[in-house]
Amino acid sequence: MRRRRIYEGKGKVLFEGPQPGTLVQYFKDDTSAFNNKKKGIITGKGVLNNRISEYLMVRLGEIGVPTHFVRRLNMREQLIREVEIIPIKVMVRNVAAGSIAKRLGLEEGSQLPRPIIEYNLKNDKLGDPMVSEEHITAFGWAGTQDLDDMVQMALRVNDFLSGLFLGVGLKLIDFKLEFGRLWEDEDMRIVVADEISPDTCRLWDVKTNDCLDKDRFRRDMGKVEEAYQEVARRLGVLPEVSAVEMKGPKLVQ
Ligand code: UDP
């Protein structure tokens, strides 16, 4: 059956879902960094991120954090609730790395005094500029109450995921969340959307400080596929399939 393609992003494709109000999220192996200037393929990444994101969203659902996730459909696809994406990327940081280290002259790996939240406007043309709460409410990207809900949820997700990852020997250095508005009759709820995976988190091994996330691709550190596999393995969600199966099936549309 041909499904209508709703949206194609850098790492995922969204298709019309089987029921109204649902979508199918397809995870690709394609990857990009530095505002699309660096592109590549990480073989099997789509399969692994589909599993990892499923696992983390289900765990979040269990502690009462609402998400868009419904269920996994197959190796590369999951069924999600259709939401209206809030055009703000919410970053939560525990340890200085990446852009904050550069911007503020902090040593990579130094503990931050407390979890720090930052916001980027989702806008490819502008390279996702950093914005403040003032900008977000003044331009109406999210209301004060929406933003308050997003911050509360982001901090709760941070506490929970920090503990979950620590349990498998990983430090959650920082991560990005996206939120969406879910409409149910007249009511609106804000839920966690998009994905949570080594593409959207920095994860360092507790003992060695080895990085097991997308920075391996960004910084040409090698062993990129292996890092995503290791995260899946530690979470207990590594699919038992051969490397050949991880490559397919090709997206036919
Ligand atoms: N991040 C993301 N998508 C983005 C920007 C950042 O998933 O568009 C994640 C990134 O992987 C890291 C965290 O958010 O875990 C903080 O990223 P940072 O601002 O340091 O940007 P980066 O150094 O990744 O450009």
Side-chain angles (χ1 to χ4, degrees):
M1 195 184 75
R2 254 186 106 79
R3 292 169 306 183
R4 200 154 65 87
R5 188 184 298 233
I6 307 281
Y7 174 81
E8 175 145 12
K10 284 159 262 175
K12 296 188 291 294
V13 190
L14 292 177
F15 295 100
E16 196 171 57
Q19 299 93 25
T22 65
L23 296 175
V24 172
Q25 183 165 248
Y26 176 100
F27 287 77
K28 301 192 279 188
D29 285 349
D30 302 60
T31 194
S32 71
F34 311 121
N35 198 29
N36 232 356
K37 285 199 261 299
K38 177 170 176 156
K39 289 186 193 166
I41 302 266
I42 303 174
T43 306
K45 171 178 81 88
V47 173
L48 297 168
N49 281 358
N50 187 22
R51 294 270 179 150
I52 294 169
S53 197
E54 167 194 20
Y55 178 78
L56 298 175
M57 296 261 183
V58 168
R59 293 284 88 81
L60 286 174
E62 286 168 358
I63 62 154
V65 175
T67 79
H68 72 164
F69 181 82
V70 180
R71 65 189 154 85
R72 191 167 58 82
L73 297 171
N74 54 50
M75 295 266 279
R76 286 180 184 272
E77 293 179 329
Q78 49 181 242
L79 187 68
I80 58 171
R81 305 286 297 270
E82 183 171 23
V83 299
E84 187 186 301
I85 290 287
I86 294 168
I88 298 294
K89 293 180 175 177
V90 178
M91 324 293 210
V92 185
R93 304 176 178 278
N94 299 304
V95 171
S99 68
I100 198 175
K102 222 176 186 176
R103 219 179 320 121
L104 303 183
L106 303 173
E107 192 181 339
E108 278 229 324
S110 57
Q111 188 71 36
L112 296 169
R114 58 183 169 84
I116 293 177
I117 294 194
E118 292 174 349
Y119 309 98
N120 286 359
L121 177 65
K122 268 168 72 77
N123 184 315
D124 283 340
K125 266 195 209 139
L126 301 177
D128 292 350
M130 192 167 163
V131 292
S132 70
E133 296 202 358
E134 273 290 291
H135 297 124
I136 296 171
T137 52
F139 291 108
W141 296 315
T144 317
Q145 182 61 56
D146 295 350
L147 198 53
D148 200 53
D149 290 353
M150 287 157 65
V151 170
Q152 296 306 317
M153 274 196 259
L155 291 174
R156 183 122 191 270
V157 170
N158 184 45
D159 282 345
F160 180 71
L161 291 189
S162 293
L164 185 150
F165 280 121
L166 204 54
V168 297
L170 292 171
K171 271 191 284 191
L172 180 59
I173 303 300
D174 58 30
F175 62 98
K176 182 231 14 172
L177 286 181
E178 293 191 26
F179 294 92
R181 296 190 182 88
L182 180 61
W183 293 93
E184 281 165 329
D185 302 319
E186 294 300 283
D187 291 335
M188 188 275 286
R189 288 196 289 160
I190 292 191
V191 303
V192 173
D194 193 52
E195 70 174 294
I196 309 176
S197 72
D199 273 358
T200 65
C201 300
R202 284 196 172 93
L203 299 165
W204 294 1
D205 183 85
V206 170
K207 287 202 191 114
T208 63
N209 273 345
D210 255 5
C211 130
L212 293 171
D213 56 58
K214 189 170 163 182
D215 271 349
R216 300 201 75 88
F217 168 76
R218 292 191 190 99
R219 302 178 185 188
D220 295 320
M221 297 165 80
K223 298 218 162 119
V224 187
E225 284 90 352
E226 288 85 344
Y228 285 71
Q229 275 177 29
E230 178 63 13
V231 173
R233 191 190 65 75
R234 291 197 193 188
L235 293 175
V237 299
L238 186 66
E240 287 177 25
V241 294
S242 66
V244 178
E245 280 178 90
M246 298 265 272
K247 282 185 183 165
K250 281 265 177 298
L251 178 61
V252 188
Q253 275 289 320

